[in-house]
Amino acid sequence: QIPTDPAQRRVRELAMLSKQLQQVHPNVLAKVLKQGTVYQNEEIVVINKPYGLPVHGGPGIKNCIADVLPILAKMLQNMKAEPLHLCHRLDKETTGVMVLARSKEAAERIRLLFKTRQVEKIYWAISLGDPDPAEGIVEIPIVEKEVQSHQSHYKMTLAPNYRLSPEDGKVVKIRKNRNAESAVTRYRLLASSSACSLLELQPITGVKHQIRVHLAYGLGCPILGDHKYSHWSKLAPQKLPEITLKRLKLEQSKARHLPLHLHAHRLCLPLGERLDLVCKPPLFFEKTLKKLRLDVPND
């Protein structure tokens, strides 16, 4: 039963986004990943990770990337191929460039490049509101905290080393939170329209949910579809401005179906030669850009 109304059809499309991949056979999933291969050589295979697909398994997860690596290796090479190895991770909801290694040694070399920050990572995100200033660096440590609300849950949040003194408004250093990890994100506005922005982001560090937290709590511009970090104290769908809803042809009551618009657009990997790996955003991301009239710069 496919709805005839385009707005309803779109909502259904969005709601199905991550469900479908959890219901397919592992061989079908490996085939999807194979079709999303953007580059390969004798050491690595680079895929465009689909939306809603976790990298690792866990409770309630039927399909994940780690589980289909042996099947994918055979599909790409031959029946005797070694399973592929994970080199880094992306969140379940993040799409884009993902590097897999053909051998354990290559995987360890690449993991070290990530760990020592020699890999340049460029993400694209659609956010609510415009960051002020239009480009800059967010450098605020991040820590995981329990949120006390009617259903308590955990979130990453900012743990700044400074605050404004209530007496004179001066910046005062405060005691460092021992569990906080330092986190640095470069950002730049690429386009803005319909109360939203297209941002280019470069995480210099790799803290869990770093980009999402820095944008939502550091810049006050949560990522479109980031229902987790759009509020602090509650778990509720993101509230969207009137113009955004209108352009997306969505009602606020259906906003919960909006997927996270965060895409790993590019990785520069210094592996012998400098590899410049680029993935174009998924279809839902491109449709949103069009609807919001956000023009992608040609890079």
Side-chain angles (χ1 to χ4, degrees), residues 31-41 44-50 72 76 88 95-100 102 263-267 275-281:
K31 207 168 176 179
V32 168
L33 296 181
K34 182 187 173 200
Q35 285 163 348
T37 304
V38 286
Y39 176 83
Q40 49 180 318
N41 64 17
I44 60 170
V45 172
V46 181
I47 57 169
N48 190 347
K49 178 190 163 302
L72 180 60
L76 289 168
H88 61 117
T95 56
V97 187
M98 186 152 191
V99 182
L100 306 167
R102 291 196 195 268
H263 174 69
H265 174 59
R266 183 183 214 141
L267 269 191
L275 289 177
D276 201 8
L277 308 160
V278 178
C279 276
K280 64 191 242 297

PDB file of all heavy atoms in Angstrom, residues 31-41 44-50 72 76 88 95-100 102 263-267 275-281:
ATOM      1  N   LYS A  31      25.937  -7.436  -0.513  1.00  0.00           N
ATOM      2  CA  LYS A  31      25.797  -6.985  -1.899  1.00  0.00           C
ATOM      3  C   LYS A  31      25.561  -5.467  -1.960  1.00  0.00           C
ATOM      4  O   LYS A  31      26.112  -4.768  -2.805  1.00  0.00           O
ATOM      5  CB  LYS A  31      24.616  -7.721  -2.550  1.00  0.00           C
ATOM      6  CG  LYS A  31      24.753  -7.847  -4.034  1.00  0.00           C
ATOM      7  CD  LYS A  31      23.724  -8.814  -4.570  1.00  0.00           C
ATOM      8  CE  LYS A  31      23.786  -8.862  -6.082  1.00  0.00           C
ATOM      9  NZ  LYS A  31      22.818  -9.798  -6.619  1.00  0.00           N
ATOM     10  N   VAL A  32      24.732  -4.970  -1.023  1.00  0.00           N
ATOM     11  CA  VAL A  32      24.464  -3.527  -0.945  1.00  0.00           C
ATOM     12  C   VAL A  32      25.786  -2.780  -0.687  1.00  0.00           C
ATOM     13  O   VAL A  32      26.075  -1.761  -1.312  1.00  0.00           O
ATOM     14  CB  VAL A  32      23.449  -3.217   0.198  1.00  0.00           C
ATOM     15  CG1 VAL A  32      23.371  -1.723   0.489  1.00  0.00           C
ATOM     16  CG2 VAL A  32      22.060  -3.753  -0.167  1.00  0.00           C
ATOM     17  N   LEU A  33      26.589  -3.323   0.227  1.00  0.00           N
ATOM     18  CA  LEU A  33      27.868  -2.679   0.552  1.00  0.00           C
ATOM     19  C   LEU A  33      28.821  -2.750  -0.643  1.00  0.00           C
ATOM     20  O   LEU A  33      29.563  -1.812  -0.930  1.00  0.00           O
ATOM     21  CB  LEU A  33      28.519  -3.331   1.772  1.00  0.00           C
ATOM     22  CG  LEU A  33      27.746  -3.200   3.097  1.00  0.00           C
ATOM     23  CD1 LEU A  33      28.515  -3.879   4.226  1.00  0.00           C
ATOM     24  CD2 LEU A  33      27.473  -1.750   3.456  1.00  0.00           C
ATOM     25  N   LYS A  34      28.780  -3.887  -1.355  1.00  0.00           N
ATOM     26  CA  LYS A  34      29.645  -4.036  -2.527  1.00  0.00           C
ATOM     27  C   LYS A  34      29.288  -2.986  -3.584  1.00  0.00           C
ATOM     28  O   LYS A  34      30.163  -2.369  -4.188  1.00  0.00           O
ATOM     29  CB  LYS A  34      29.485  -5.446  -3.105  1.00  0.00           C
ATOM     30  CG  LYS A  34      30.399  -5.677  -4.297  1.00  0.00           C
ATOM     31  CD  LYS A  34      30.136  -7.000  -4.971  1.00  0.00           C
ATOM     32  CE  LYS A  34      30.959  -7.061  -6.250  1.00  0.00           C
ATOM     33  NZ  LYS A  34      30.477  -8.036  -7.197  1.00  0.00           N
ATOM     34  N   GLN A  35      27.986  -2.773  -3.772  1.00  0.00           N
ATOM     35  CA  GLN A  35      27.548  -1.765  -4.753  1.00  0.00           C
ATOM     36  C   GLN A  35      27.947  -0.359  -4.316  1.00  0.00           C
ATOM     37  O   GLN A  35      28.082   0.543  -5.131  1.00  0.00           O
ATOM     38  CB  GLN A  35      26.030  -1.842  -4.945  1.00  0.00           C
ATOM     39  CG  GLN A  35      25.625  -3.045  -5.781  1.00  0.00           C
ATOM     40  CD  GLN A  35      24.145  -3.387  -5.650  1.00  0.00           C
ATOM     41  OE1 GLN A  35      23.447  -2.871  -4.776  1.00  0.00           O
ATOM     42  NE2 GLN A  35      23.661  -4.263  -6.497  1.00  0.00           N
ATOM     43  N   GLY A  36      28.122  -0.188  -2.993  1.00  0.00           N
ATOM     44  CA  GLY A  36      28.517   1.121  -2.486  1.00  0.00           C
ATOM     45  C   GLY A  36      30.028   1.280  -2.356  1.00  0.00           C
ATOM     46  O   GLY A  36      30.512   2.169  -1.670  1.00  0.00           O
ATOM     47  N   THR A  37      30.787   0.407  -3.038  1.00  0.00           N
ATOM     48  CA  THR A  37      32.249   0.513  -2.976  1.00  0.00           C
ATOM     49  C   THR A  37      32.717   1.704  -3.804  1.00  0.00           C
ATOM     50  O   THR A  37      32.348   1.829  -4.966  1.00  0.00           O
ATOM     51  CB  THR A  37      32.895  -0.776  -3.535  1.00  0.00           C
ATOM     52  OG1 THR A  37      32.379  -1.878  -2.798  1.00  0.00           O
ATOM     53  CG2 THR A  37      34.404  -0.758  -3.364  1.00  0.00           C
ATOM     54  N   VAL A  38      33.525   2.569  -3.194  1.00  0.00           N
ATOM     55  CA  VAL A  38      33.983   3.747  -3.951  1.00  0.00           C
ATOM     56  C   VAL A  38      35.441   3.638  -4.393  1.00  0.00           C
ATOM     57  O   VAL A  38      35.880   4.339  -5.286  1.00  0.00           O
ATOM     58  CB  VAL A  38      33.810   5.061  -3.139  1.00  0.00           C
ATOM     59  CG1 VAL A  38      32.356   5.469  -3.078  1.00  0.00           C
ATOM     60  CG2 VAL A  38      34.386   4.951  -1.744  1.00  0.00           C
ATOM     61  N   TYR A  39      36.194   2.737  -3.735  1.00  0.00           N
ATOM     62  CA  TYR A  39      37.612   2.620  -4.095  1.00  0.00           C
ATOM     63  C   TYR A  39      38.135   1.305  -3.545  1.00  0.00           C
ATOM     64  O   TYR A  39      37.731   0.871  -2.473  1.00  0.00           O
ATOM     65  CB  TYR A  39      38.402   3.790  -3.476  1.00  0.00           C
ATOM     66  CG  TYR A  39      39.901   3.700  -3.711  1.00  0.00           C
ATOM     67  CD1 TYR A  39      40.467   4.154  -4.906  1.00  0.00           C
ATOM     68  CD2 TYR A  39      40.743   3.150  -2.741  1.00  0.00           C
ATOM     69  CE1 TYR A  39      41.835   4.057  -5.130  1.00  0.00           C
ATOM     70  CE2 TYR A  39      42.118   3.055  -2.956  1.00  0.00           C
ATOM     71  CZ  TYR A  39      42.659   3.508  -4.147  1.00  0.00           C
ATOM     72  OH  TYR A  39      44.003   3.413  -4.378  1.00  0.00           O
ATOM     73  N   GLN A  40      39.049   0.670  -4.273  1.00  0.00           N
ATOM     74  CA  GLN A  40      39.764  -0.462  -3.680  1.00  0.00           C
ATOM     75  C   GLN A  40      41.137  -0.617  -4.319  1.00  0.00           C
ATOM     76  O   GLN A  40      41.338  -0.299  -5.472  1.00  0.00           O
ATOM     77  CB  GLN A  40      38.959  -1.752  -3.761  1.00  0.00           C
ATOM     78  CG  GLN A  40      38.366  -2.096  -5.109  1.00  0.00           C
ATOM     79  CD  GLN A  40      37.599  -3.411  -5.034  1.00  0.00           C
ATOM     80  OE1 GLN A  40      38.045  -4.366  -4.406  1.00  0.00           O
ATOM     81  NE2 GLN A  40      36.452  -3.480  -5.677  1.00  0.00           N
ATOM     82  N   ASN A  41      42.079  -1.070  -3.502  1.00  0.00           N
ATOM     83  CA  ASN A  41      43.393  -1.469  -4.023  1.00  0.00           C
ATOM     84  C   ASN A  41      43.801  -2.732  -3.270  1.00  0.00           C
ATOM     85  O   ASN A  41      42.966  -3.354  -2.608  1.00  0.00           O
ATOM     86  CB  ASN A  41      44.413  -0.320  -3.893  1.00  0.00           C
ATOM     87  CG  ASN A  41      44.694   0.056  -2.447  1.00  0.00           C
ATOM     88  OD1 ASN A  41      44.402  -0.705  -1.511  1.00  0.00           O
ATOM     89  ND2 ASN A  41      45.263   1.225  -2.240  1.00  0.00           N
ATOM     90  N   ILE A  44      43.216  -1.882   0.749  1.00  0.00           N
ATOM     91  CA  ILE A  44      41.971  -1.408   1.356  1.00  0.00           C
ATOM     92  C   ILE A  44      40.766  -1.495   0.416  1.00  0.00           C
ATOM     93  O   ILE A  44      40.904  -1.591  -0.798  1.00  0.00           O
ATOM     94  CB  ILE A  44      42.090   0.068   1.832  1.00  0.00           C
ATOM     95  CG1 ILE A  44      42.420   0.998   0.657  1.00  0.00           C
ATOM     96  CG2 ILE A  44      43.096   0.211   2.949  1.00  0.00           C
ATOM     97  CD1 ILE A  44      42.312   2.483   0.981  1.00  0.00           C
ATOM     98  N   VAL A  45      39.591  -1.468   1.048  1.00  0.00           N
ATOM     99  CA  VAL A  45      38.322  -1.356   0.330  1.00  0.00           C
ATOM    100  C   VAL A  45      37.579  -0.209   1.003  1.00  0.00           C
ATOM    101  O   VAL A  45      37.484  -0.173   2.230  1.00  0.00           O
ATOM    102  CB  VAL A  45      37.487  -2.654   0.467  1.00  0.00           C
ATOM    103  CG1 VAL A  45      36.099  -2.468  -0.122  1.00  0.00           C
ATOM    104  CG2 VAL A  45      38.200  -3.830  -0.185  1.00  0.00           C
ATOM    105  N   VAL A  46      37.089   0.728   0.214  1.00  0.00           N
ATOM    106  CA  VAL A  46      36.378   1.877   0.793  1.00  0.00           C
ATOM    107  C   VAL A  46      34.916   1.807   0.374  1.00  0.00           C
ATOM    108  O   VAL A  46      34.605   1.713  -0.808  1.00  0.00           O
ATOM    109  CB  VAL A  46      37.008   3.209   0.322  1.00  0.00           C
ATOM    110  CG1 VAL A  46      36.285   4.400   0.945  1.00  0.00           C
ATOM    111  CG2 VAL A  46      38.490   3.238   0.682  1.00  0.00           C
ATOM    112  N   ILE A  47      34.027   1.821   1.390  1.00  0.00           N
ATOM    113  CA  ILE A  47      32.594   1.747   1.084  1.00  0.00           C
ATOM    114  C   ILE A  47      31.900   3.049   1.481  1.00  0.00           C
ATOM    115  O   ILE A  47      32.428   3.815   2.288  1.00  0.00           O
ATOM    116  CB  ILE A  47      31.903   0.559   1.803  1.00  0.00           C
ATOM    117  CG1 ILE A  47      32.103   0.660   3.336  1.00  0.00           C
ATOM    118  CG2 ILE A  47      32.393  -0.774   1.279  1.00  0.00           C
ATOM    119  CD1 ILE A  47      31.251  -0.306   4.148  1.00  0.00           C
ATOM    120  N   ASN A  48      30.719   3.262   0.912  1.00  0.00           N
ATOM    121  CA  ASN A  48      29.868   4.374   1.306  1.00  0.00           C
ATOM    122  C   ASN A  48      28.856   3.777   2.278  1.00  0.00           C
ATOM    123  O   ASN A  48      27.932   3.085   1.869  1.00  0.00           O
ATOM    124  CB  ASN A  48      29.176   4.954   0.071  1.00  0.00           C
ATOM    125  CG  ASN A  48      28.461   6.259   0.385  1.00  0.00           C
ATOM    126  OD1 ASN A  48      28.272   6.630   1.547  1.00  0.00           O
ATOM    127  ND2 ASN A  48      28.039   6.962  -0.654  1.00  0.00           N
ATOM    128  N   LYS A  49      29.060   4.003   3.571  1.00  0.00           N
ATOM    129  CA  LYS A  49      28.215   3.351   4.578  1.00  0.00           C
ATOM    130  C   LYS A  49      26.778   3.866   4.505  1.00  0.00           C
ATOM    131  O   LYS A  49      26.543   5.059   4.505  1.00  0.00           O
ATOM    132  CB  LYS A  49      28.787   3.628   5.970  1.00  0.00           C
ATOM    133  CG  LYS A  49      27.951   3.018   7.088  1.00  0.00           C
ATOM    134  CD  LYS A  49      28.403   3.513   8.452  1.00  0.00           C
ATOM    135  CE  LYS A  49      27.390   3.265   9.521  1.00  0.00           C
ATOM    136  NZ  LYS A  49      26.071   3.853   9.328  1.00  0.00           N
ATOM    137  N   PRO A  50      25.816   2.926   4.433  1.00  0.00           N
ATOM    138  CA  PRO A  50      24.409   3.348   4.371  1.00  0.00           C
ATOM    139  C   PRO A  50      23.901   3.844   5.723  1.00  0.00           C
ATOM    140  O   PRO A  50      24.495   3.559   6.766  1.00  0.00           O
ATOM    141  CB  PRO A  50      23.658   2.074   3.972  1.00  0.00           C
ATOM    142  CG  PRO A  50      24.670   1.006   3.793  1.00  0.00           C
ATOM    143  CD  PRO A  50      25.967   1.472   4.365  1.00  0.00           C
ATOM    144  N   LEU A  72      31.505 -10.053   2.280  1.00  0.00           N
ATOM    145  CA  LEU A  72      31.883  -8.962   1.374  1.00  0.00           C
ATOM    146  C   LEU A  72      33.249  -9.230   0.738  1.00  0.00           C
ATOM    147  O   LEU A  72      33.437  -9.025  -0.461  1.00  0.00           O
ATOM    148  CB  LEU A  72      31.888  -7.629   2.144  1.00  0.00           C
ATOM    149  CG  LEU A  72      32.268  -6.384   1.349  1.00  0.00           C
ATOM    150  CD1 LEU A  72      31.308  -6.147   0.184  1.00  0.00           C
ATOM    151  CD2 LEU A  72      32.306  -5.144   2.236  1.00  0.00           C
ATOM    152  N   LEU A  76      34.065  -9.534  -3.271  1.00  0.00           N
ATOM    153  CA  LEU A  76      34.975  -8.605  -3.940  1.00  0.00           C
ATOM    154  C   LEU A  76      36.170  -9.310  -4.567  1.00  0.00           C
ATOM    155  O   LEU A  76      36.669  -8.908  -5.598  1.00  0.00           O
ATOM    156  CB  LEU A  76      35.482  -7.551  -2.952  1.00  0.00           C
ATOM    157  CG  LEU A  76      34.471  -6.505  -2.495  1.00  0.00           C
ATOM    158  CD1 LEU A  76      35.023  -5.730  -1.331  1.00  0.00           C
ATOM    159  CD2 LEU A  76      34.103  -5.554  -3.627  1.00  0.00           C
ATOM    160  N   HIS A  88      38.104   1.878  11.540  1.00  0.00           N
ATOM    161  CA  HIS A  88      37.578   2.986  12.349  1.00  0.00           C
ATOM    162  C   HIS A  88      36.073   2.778  12.404  1.00  0.00           C
ATOM    163  O   HIS A  88      35.545   1.850  11.815  1.00  0.00           O
ATOM    164  CB  HIS A  88      37.922   4.342  11.712  1.00  0.00           C
ATOM    165  CG  HIS A  88      37.359   4.542  10.349  1.00  0.00           C
ATOM    166  ND1 HIS A  88      36.442   5.517  10.029  1.00  0.00           N
ATOM    167  CD2 HIS A  88      37.567   3.862   9.190  1.00  0.00           C
ATOM    168  CE1 HIS A  88      36.132   5.440   8.752  1.00  0.00           C
ATOM    169  NE2 HIS A  88      36.798   4.445   8.217  1.00  0.00           N
ATOM    170  N   THR A  95      26.340   8.417   7.602  1.00  0.00           N
ATOM    171  CA  THR A  95      26.585   7.771   6.312  1.00  0.00           C
ATOM    172  C   THR A  95      27.977   8.184   5.831  1.00  0.00           C
ATOM    173  O   THR A  95      28.593   9.077   6.392  1.00  0.00           O
ATOM    174  CB  THR A  95      25.546   8.242   5.274  1.00  0.00           C
ATOM    175  OG1 THR A  95      25.599   9.677   5.191  1.00  0.00           O
ATOM    176  CG2 THR A  95      24.139   7.834   5.662  1.00  0.00           C
ATOM    177  N   GLY A  96      28.451   7.522   4.773  1.00  0.00           N
ATOM    178  CA  GLY A  96      29.648   8.026   4.106  1.00  0.00           C
ATOM    179  C   GLY A  96      30.886   7.154   4.151  1.00  0.00           C
ATOM    180  O   GLY A  96      30.813   5.936   4.361  1.00  0.00           O
ATOM    181  N   VAL A  97      32.045   7.802   3.951  1.00  0.00           N
ATOM    182  CA  VAL A  97      33.322   7.118   3.710  1.00  0.00           C
ATOM    183  C   VAL A  97      33.721   6.220   4.872  1.00  0.00           C
ATOM    184  O   VAL A  97      33.892   6.680   5.996  1.00  0.00           O
ATOM    185  CB  VAL A  97      34.468   8.142   3.520  1.00  0.00           C
ATOM    186  CG1 VAL A  97      35.735   7.413   3.091  1.00  0.00           C
ATOM    187  CG2 VAL A  97      34.113   9.198   2.511  1.00  0.00           C
ATOM    188  N   MET A  98      33.891   4.943   4.571  1.00  0.00           N
ATOM    189  CA  MET A  98      34.352   4.003   5.580  1.00  0.00           C
ATOM    190  C   MET A  98      35.445   3.118   4.992  1.00  0.00           C
ATOM    191  O   MET A  98      35.261   2.516   3.927  1.00  0.00           O
ATOM    192  CB  MET A  98      33.179   3.169   6.061  1.00  0.00           C
ATOM    193  CG  MET A  98      33.571   2.292   7.187  1.00  0.00           C
ATOM    194  SD  MET A  98      32.204   1.933   8.264  1.00  0.00           S
ATOM    195  CE  MET A  98      33.174   1.210   9.560  1.00  0.00           C
ATOM    196  N   VAL A  99      36.581   3.033   5.674  1.00  0.00           N
ATOM    197  CA  VAL A  99      37.738   2.287   5.167  1.00  0.00           C
ATOM    198  C   VAL A  99      37.812   0.906   5.819  1.00  0.00           C
ATOM    199  O   VAL A  99      37.768   0.787   7.043  1.00  0.00           O
ATOM    200  CB  VAL A  99      39.050   3.062   5.468  1.00  0.00           C
ATOM    201  CG1 VAL A  99      40.252   2.313   4.905  1.00  0.00           C
ATOM    202  CG2 VAL A  99      38.996   4.471   4.894  1.00  0.00           C
ATOM    203  N   LEU A 100      37.924  -0.109   4.997  1.00  0.00           N
ATOM    204  CA  LEU A 100      38.109  -1.485   5.470  1.00  0.00           C
ATOM    205  C   LEU A 100      39.459  -1.969   4.949  1.00  0.00           C
ATOM    206  O   LEU A 100      39.855  -1.611   3.838  1.00  0.00           O
ATOM    207  CB  LEU A 100      36.999  -2.384   4.917  1.00  0.00           C
ATOM    208  CG  LEU A 100      35.558  -1.920   5.172  1.00  0.00           C
ATOM    209  CD1 LEU A 100      34.576  -2.716   4.322  1.00  0.00           C
ATOM    210  CD2 LEU A 100      35.202  -2.033   6.647  1.00  0.00           C
ATOM    211  N   ARG A 102      42.246  -5.088   3.949  1.00  0.00           N
ATOM    212  CA  ARG A 102      42.242  -6.477   3.478  1.00  0.00           C
ATOM    213  C   ARG A 102      43.087  -7.391   4.362  1.00  0.00           C
ATOM    214  O   ARG A 102      42.985  -8.606   4.266  1.00  0.00           O
ATOM    215  CB  ARG A 102      42.787  -6.532   2.040  1.00  0.00           C
ATOM    216  CG  ARG A 102      41.873  -5.892   1.013  1.00  0.00           C
ATOM    217  CD  ARG A 102      42.286  -6.345  -0.367  1.00  0.00           C
ATOM    218  NE  ARG A 102      41.729  -5.561  -1.445  1.00  0.00           N
ATOM    219  CZ  ARG A 102      40.583  -5.850  -2.061  1.00  0.00           C
ATOM    220  NH1 ARG A 102      39.878  -6.881  -1.685  1.00  0.00           N
ATOM    221  NH2 ARG A 102      40.156  -5.093  -3.054  1.00  0.00           N
ATOM    222  N   HIS A 263      26.990  13.292   7.329  1.00  0.00           N
ATOM    223  CA  HIS A 263      27.579  12.459   6.272  1.00  0.00           C
ATOM    224  C   HIS A 263      29.101  12.627   6.253  1.00  0.00           C
ATOM    225  O   HIS A 263      29.607  13.745   6.184  1.00  0.00           O
ATOM    226  CB  HIS A 263      26.978  12.892   4.926  1.00  0.00           C
ATOM    227  CG  HIS A 263      27.586  12.220   3.740  1.00  0.00           C
ATOM    228  ND1 HIS A 263      27.417  10.879   3.464  1.00  0.00           N
ATOM    229  CD2 HIS A 263      28.379  12.705   2.745  1.00  0.00           C
ATOM    230  CE1 HIS A 263      28.067  10.569   2.353  1.00  0.00           C
ATOM    231  NE2 HIS A 263      28.671  11.657   1.898  1.00  0.00           N
ATOM    232  N   ALA A 264      29.822  11.490   6.330  1.00  0.00           N
ATOM    233  CA  ALA A 264      31.283  11.527   6.216  1.00  0.00           C
ATOM    234  C   ALA A 264      31.614  11.683   4.738  1.00  0.00           C
ATOM    235  O   ALA A 264      31.574  10.727   3.974  1.00  0.00           O
ATOM    236  CB  ALA A 264      31.878  10.239   6.772  1.00  0.00           C
ATOM    237  N   HIS A 265      31.912  12.914   4.337  1.00  0.00           N
ATOM    238  CA  HIS A 265      32.000  13.257   2.920  1.00  0.00           C
ATOM    239  C   HIS A 265      33.353  12.881   2.326  1.00  0.00           C
ATOM    240  O   HIS A 265      33.450  12.469   1.179  1.00  0.00           O
ATOM    241  CB  HIS A 265      31.749  14.766   2.781  1.00  0.00           C
ATOM    242  CG  HIS A 265      31.951  15.298   1.403  1.00  0.00           C
ATOM    243  ND1 HIS A 265      31.241  14.830   0.324  1.00  0.00           N
ATOM    244  CD2 HIS A 265      32.784  16.263   0.926  1.00  0.00           C
ATOM    245  CE1 HIS A 265      31.637  15.484  -0.756  1.00  0.00           C
ATOM    246  NE2 HIS A 265      32.568  16.344  -0.431  1.00  0.00           N
ATOM    247  N   ARG A 266      34.403  13.023   3.140  1.00  0.00           N
ATOM    248  CA  ARG A 266      35.735  12.871   2.568  1.00  0.00           C
ATOM    249  C   ARG A 266      36.766  12.441   3.614  1.00  0.00           C
ATOM    250  O   ARG A 266      36.709  12.876   4.751  1.00  0.00           O
ATOM    251  CB  ARG A 266      36.101  14.252   2.047  1.00  0.00           C
ATOM    252  CG  ARG A 266      37.390  14.341   1.342  1.00  0.00           C
ATOM    253  CD  ARG A 266      37.632  15.792   0.968  1.00  0.00           C
ATOM    254  NE  ARG A 266      38.326  15.838  -0.289  1.00  0.00           N
ATOM    255  CZ  ARG A 266      38.099  16.714  -1.232  1.00  0.00           C
ATOM    256  NH1 ARG A 266      37.203  17.648  -1.053  1.00  0.00           N
ATOM    257  NH2 ARG A 266      38.773  16.677  -2.346  1.00  0.00           N
ATOM    258  N   LEU A 267      37.687  11.587   3.176  1.00  0.00           N
ATOM    259  CA  LEU A 267      38.802  11.170   4.049  1.00  0.00           C
ATOM    260  C   LEU A 267      40.083  11.305   3.251  1.00  0.00           C
ATOM    261  O   LEU A 267      40.138  10.868   2.106  1.00  0.00           O
ATOM    262  CB  LEU A 267      38.671   9.697   4.416  1.00  0.00           C
ATOM    263  CG  LEU A 267      37.926   9.244   5.662  1.00  0.00           C
ATOM    264  CD1 LEU A 267      38.211   7.772   5.889  1.00  0.00           C
ATOM    265  CD2 LEU A 267      38.275  10.031   6.894  1.00  0.00           C
ATOM    266  N   LEU A 275      45.718   9.341  -0.351  1.00  0.00           N
ATOM    267  CA  LEU A 275      44.454   8.956  -0.980  1.00  0.00           C
ATOM    268  C   LEU A 275      43.355   9.925  -0.585  1.00  0.00           C
ATOM    269  O   LEU A 275      43.118  10.161   0.599  1.00  0.00           O
ATOM    270  CB  LEU A 275      44.059   7.537  -0.535  1.00  0.00           C
ATOM    271  CG  LEU A 275      44.894   6.379  -1.069  1.00  0.00           C
ATOM    272  CD1 LEU A 275      44.412   5.074  -0.476  1.00  0.00           C
ATOM    273  CD2 LEU A 275      44.807   6.315  -2.597  1.00  0.00           C
ATOM    274  N   ASP A 276      42.667  10.465  -1.575  1.00  0.00           N
ATOM    275  CA  ASP A 276      41.580  11.389  -1.324  1.00  0.00           C
ATOM    276  C   ASP A 276      40.279  10.644  -1.632  1.00  0.00           C
ATOM    277  O   ASP A 276      39.954  10.415  -2.791  1.00  0.00           O
ATOM    278  CB  ASP A 276      41.746  12.602  -2.266  1.00  0.00           C
ATOM    279  CG  ASP A 276      40.998  13.804  -1.745  1.00  0.00           C
ATOM    280  OD1 ASP A 276      40.495  13.745  -0.611  1.00  0.00           O
ATOM    281  OD2 ASP A 276      40.894  14.801  -2.486  1.00  0.00           O
ATOM    282  N   LEU A 277      39.561  10.244  -0.599  1.00  0.00           N
ATOM    283  CA  LEU A 277      38.389   9.393  -0.781  1.00  0.00           C
ATOM    284  C   LEU A 277      37.118  10.198  -0.540  1.00  0.00           C
ATOM    285  O   LEU A 277      36.940  10.780   0.524  1.00  0.00           O
ATOM    286  CB  LEU A 277      38.457   8.214   0.196  1.00  0.00           C
ATOM    287  CG  LEU A 277      39.789   7.438   0.152  1.00  0.00           C
ATOM    288  CD1 LEU A 277      40.005   6.627   1.401  1.00  0.00           C
ATOM    289  CD2 LEU A 277      39.822   6.538  -1.087  1.00  0.00           C
ATOM    290  N   VAL A 278      36.238  10.234  -1.530  1.00  0.00           N
ATOM    291  CA  VAL A 278      35.037  11.065  -1.432  1.00  0.00           C
ATOM    292  C   VAL A 278      33.783  10.225  -1.667  1.00  0.00           C
ATOM    293  O   VAL A 278      33.755   9.378  -2.556  1.00  0.00           O
ATOM    294  CB  VAL A 278      35.080  12.211  -2.482  1.00  0.00           C
ATOM    295  CG1 VAL A 278      33.814  13.055  -2.426  1.00  0.00           C
ATOM    296  CG2 VAL A 278      36.294  13.096  -2.247  1.00  0.00           C
ATOM    297  N   CYS A 279      32.747  10.449  -0.845  1.00  0.00           N
ATOM    298  CA  CYS A 279      31.456   9.779  -1.038  1.00  0.00           C
ATOM    299  C   CYS A 279      30.366  10.820  -1.172  1.00  0.00           C
ATOM    300  O   CYS A 279      30.279  11.727  -0.339  1.00  0.00           O
ATOM    301  CB  CYS A 279      31.105   8.947   0.196  1.00  0.00           C
ATOM    302  SG  CYS A 279      31.851   7.334   0.202  1.00  0.00           S
ATOM    303  N   LYS A 280      29.511  10.651  -2.184  1.00  0.00           N
ATOM    304  CA  LYS A 280      28.428  11.633  -2.260  1.00  0.00           C
ATOM    305  C   LYS A 280      27.344  11.280  -1.237  1.00  0.00           C
ATOM    306  O   LYS A 280      27.205  10.120  -0.848  1.00  0.00           O
ATOM    307  CB  LYS A 280      27.888  11.782  -3.672  1.00  0.00           C
ATOM    308  CG  LYS A 280      27.216  10.597  -4.303  1.00  0.00           C
ATOM    309  CD  LYS A 280      27.016  10.893  -5.779  1.00  0.00           C
ATOM    310  CE  LYS A 280      25.599  10.923  -6.250  1.00  0.00           C
ATOM    311  NZ  LYS A 280      24.797   9.786  -6.196  1.00  0.00           N
ATOM    312  N   PRO A 281      26.613  12.305  -0.780  1.00  0.00           N
ATOM    313  CA  PRO A 281      25.610  12.049   0.264  1.00  0.00           C
ATOM    314  C   PRO A 281      24.512  11.111  -0.229  1.00  0.00           C
ATOM    315  O   PRO A 281      24.270  11.006  -1.436  1.00  0.00           O
ATOM    316  CB  PRO A 281      25.025  13.442   0.550  1.00  0.00           C
ATOM    317  CG  PRO A 281      25.953  14.412  -0.069  1.00  0.00           C
ATOM    318  CD  PRO A 281      26.660  13.720  -1.169  1.00  0.00           C
TER     319      PRO A 281
END
